[in-house]
Amino acid sequence: MSIQRGGFSSRLGFILAAAGSAVGLGNIWKFPFEVGQGGGAAFVVMYLVFCFVLCFPVLVAEIAIGRKTQLNPVGAFKALGYKNWAIVGYLGLASGVLILSFYNVVAAWAFGYFVEILMGHFDIGQRFSEFTKDWITVGSYSVLFMIGTAFVVSRGVSGGIERAAKILMPTLFVMIIALILYALTLPNAMDGIRFYLVPDFSQITGKVVYSALGQAFFSLSLGMGALITYGSYVSKKDNIVTAAASITLLDVGVATLAGFMIFPFVFSQGIETDGGPGLIFVTLPGIFESLGATLGVIVGALFFLLLSFAAFTSTISLLEVPTAYMVDEKKMKRKKATWIVAIFIFLVGIPSMLSVGAVDGLTHFVTLAGAGEKNFMDFIGLIASDTFLPLGGFMIAVFTAYVWKKENFNLEMANGDENHRRSWLQSYVDFAIGYICPVLLGSIFIVTVLDNFLGIKILTMLFG
Ligand code: PHE
């Protein structure tokens, strides 16, 4: 393989890098606040069903397309011989650019919190909105974050991404478990657990289904070709079905654990669950303070540092997608491609950065019929992660089953071995990619988009 593309040095390296992409702010920042806004356990149930039933097969399909073609999402569809389907790749590029543009800002918040807690400023939780409004500080951290991301991506995947993921992911995991144990000792912790685990299905509306589906895709880094791109670096000998299963389990596992950590904290402090994007930033500093000055600084700073690292392995994968496109399709040198794309995305992210308090017109950006008022950043999230990703996933499923064809997909899953005996997982993927994914993804997509953007409530009309 050429130096421009590179490859993962081992199967574990790929799983860790892909899990590093999947596990990020989506699990620890976005998942809890979406659960909080979506009414608790009912959202969790839907999210889990979507991840395992609908997303897992698409995840295998993305990796298969990537490994088969060894290309970026746009090039991959072209290489399989279907030029028109490159539109899915372009949609993926657009999603990647838009998602990274705001993701980088939230990553900057996380890093900023690391610095604040390190200085013993536990009151930063109460000052969350002042903090996000201060665009000079947030802007500086986000410049730093983007530079760091570009630096790793410019050196190629196996050099940077793999090594970073190997050390940091397990540390974060242990830290969350420790915080859960502490959370469970707090007063009212059980109310939090009840909110998180006992579903009230009357909470389910079109808006909630929409965000649960979007969350499943976002959290798995799915639907925009990030895994086509990472799949292009996977060895022809790896079992991609079990690799995809491990990635799904790890990602869902971390998100689920984050919920067990946050909701006892939220209820023990008497904070409203539907606070939105500020939820963990408002809740956690007070919890760290309750550990005492020294321990609080150590645990709190370490937590936000690890959260920043988790975000970092995700921003790397987000930047990798358009960079691989420039390298493969535009024949640009990796270094140059990386920096051009990074600067572009940073500029695209400026309105998002200014939309959380700094500029009024961006803070009160639009009011949608179903989803309500959104600032610019949330609006971009709605378009890119909740709309483009499931749409991309739907198209990838249709493409895999009916254009590329199941025989070819199955052969790729079997590493080219025609006599391979199928596992039950492979049989499920084969079935789901042709029937369950297109039908359910397609219909949920239409219903929820109408609901959110136009306020047409099909679910309510059908089920009352
Ligand atoms: N999955 C990442 C997270 O949960 C975000 C992401 C989305 C990364 C899409 C890459 C592609 O934080």
Side-chain angles (χ1 to χ4, degrees):
M1 232 176 258
S2 75
I3 307 167
Q4 289 296 320
R5 288 197 62 77
F8 290 110
S9 64
S10 65
R11 171 180 148 83
L12 187 66
F14 164 68
I15 292 182
L16 282 175
S21 164
V23 175
L25 295 168
N27 308 60
I28 294 161
W29 160 73
K30 196 163 183 289
F31 177 71
F33 88 69
E34 295 280 2
V35 172
Q37 283 183 327
F43 180 98
V44 180
V45 172
M46 266 188 301
Y47 161 79
L48 291 175
V49 171
F50 290 154
C51 283
F52 291 116
V53 177
L54 297 181
C55 291
F56 166 65
V58 180
L59 186 62
V60 180
E62 270 202 30
I63 300 174
I65 293 171
R67 187 175 66 171
K68 174 76 191 165
T69 58
Q70 315 256 302
L71 286 167
N72 67 88
V74 171
F77 290 99
K78 289 189 184 160
L80 290 172
Y82 306 98
K83 277 217 157 55
N84 293 339
W85 283 85
I87 180 101
V88 182
Y90 288 113
L91 182 72
L93 288 185
S95 315
V97 168
L98 291 176
I99 291 175
L100 182 52
S101 78
F102 72 81
Y103 198 96
N104 191 56
V105 176
V106 182
W109 296 351
F111 190 73
Y113 263 55
F114 158 67
V115 176
E116 294 290 332
I117 302 264
L118 199 61
M119 297 193 296
H121 300 161
F122 291 112
D123 64 331
I124 187 69
Q126 290 126 45
R127 290 191 287 110
F128 173 70
S129 45
E130 277 166 59
F131 177 80
T132 58
K133 196 173 170 176
D134 174 6
W135 62 271
I136 299 185
T137 307
V138 174
S140 316
Y141 289 132
S142 65
V143 168
L144 274 182
F145 217 88
M146 192 62 99
I147 291 178
T149 306
F151 181 74
V152 172
V153 172
S154 68
R155 295 177 44 191
V157 272
S158 53
I161 304 177
E162 204 181 322
R163 220 173 305 146
K166 252 182 205 161
I167 317 165
L168 302 170
M169 302 267 309
T171 320
L172 181 67
F173 207 77
V174 172
M175 178 120 205
I176 294 175
I177 304 263
L179 283 170
I180 293 176
L181 295 178
Y182 175 61
L184 292 178
T185 67
L186 297 176
N188 301 327
M190 280 309 136
D191 293 337
I193 299 289
R194 213 165 294 126
F195 175 78
Y196 188 51
L197 289 186
V198 183
D200 167 7
F201 287 105
S202 70
Q203 298 278 349
I204 295 185
T205 59
K207 186 173 142 185
V208 174
V209 179
Y210 177 68
S211 26
L213 186 66
Q215 176 61 23
F217 273 90
F218 182 82
S219 181
L220 288 167
S221 305
L222 197 60
M224 53 161 273
L227 288 140
I228 294 183
T229 311
Y230 272 24
S232 73
Y233 305 109
V234 176
S235 140
K236 293 280 182 197
K237 286 186 233 121
D238 286 345
N239 182 335
I240 56 178
V241 181
T242 53
S246 315
I247 294 162
T248 309
L249 281 173
L250 254 169
D251 185 60
V252 171
V254 175
T256 312
L257 286 177
F260 277 110
M261 172 182 84
I262 297 292
F263 288 105
F265 286 159
V266 168
F267 278 78
S268 76
Q269 294 188 323
I271 293 171
E272 293 297 322
T273 53
D274 59 357
L279 190 66
I280 70 161
F281 292 103
V282 172
T283 311
L284 289 175
I287 294 293
F288 296 134
E289 188 171 20
S290 73
L291 293 173
T294 318
L295 191 62
V297 167
I298 297 173
V299 174
L302 187 62
F303 179 85
F304 281 109
L305 186 64
L306 288 172
L307 181 61
S308 307
F309 277 126
F312 191 54
T313 49
S314 302
T315 53
I316 288 169
S317 70
L318 283 159
L319 186 60
E320 174 64 20
V321 175
T323 302
Y325 166 75
M326 299 294 257
V327 171
D328 295 341
E329 307 300 306
K330 303 287 167 211
K331 306 290 172 237
M332 209 178 261
K333 284 262 182 300
R334 177 168 270 274
K335 263 220 171 74
K336 185 173 164 200
T338 311
W339 290 103
I340 290 180
V341 175
I343 291 169
F344 175 70
I345 295 178
F346 179 80
L347 297 177
V348 175
I350 290 178
S352 286
M353 192 166 83
L354 298 177
S355 75
V356 197
V359 173
D360 214 46
L362 293 167
T363 305
H364 305 281
F365 186 62
V366 276
T367 303
L368 298 168
E373 191 186 282
K374 296 280 161 197
N375 67 26
F376 186 81
M377 181 194 255
D378 293 347
F379 180 69
I380 295 293
L382 217 58
I383 300 287
S385 50
D386 293 346
T387 309
F388 285 2
L389 296 185
L391 180 61
F394 166 74
M395 296 204 278
I396 288 167
V398 172
F399 172 82
T400 304
Y402 301 106
V403 183
W404 188 30
K405 294 273 174 353
K406 281 191 185 181
E407 306 87 84
N408 296 314
F409 178 41
N410 273 297
L411 199 60
E412 189 59 35
M413 284 197 278
N415 295 351
D417 173 6
E418 312 229 1
N419 304 315
H420 162 91
R421 266 200 59 210
R422 284 190 188 193
S423 64
W424 64 271
L425 269 182
Q426 189 187 336
S427 303
Y428 174 70
V429 170
D430 175 52
F431 176 74
I433 206 74
Y435 305 103
I436 303 180
C437 297
V439 173
L440 284 183
L441 276 178
S443 42
I444 296 174
F445 180 77
I446 293 172
V447 168
T448 54
V449 166
L450 289 176
D451 189 313
N452 258 273
F453 290 95
L454 304 174
I456 301 174
K457 309 241 168 275
I458 299 179
L459 278 183
T460 322
M461 291 184 311
L462 288 177
F463 303 108

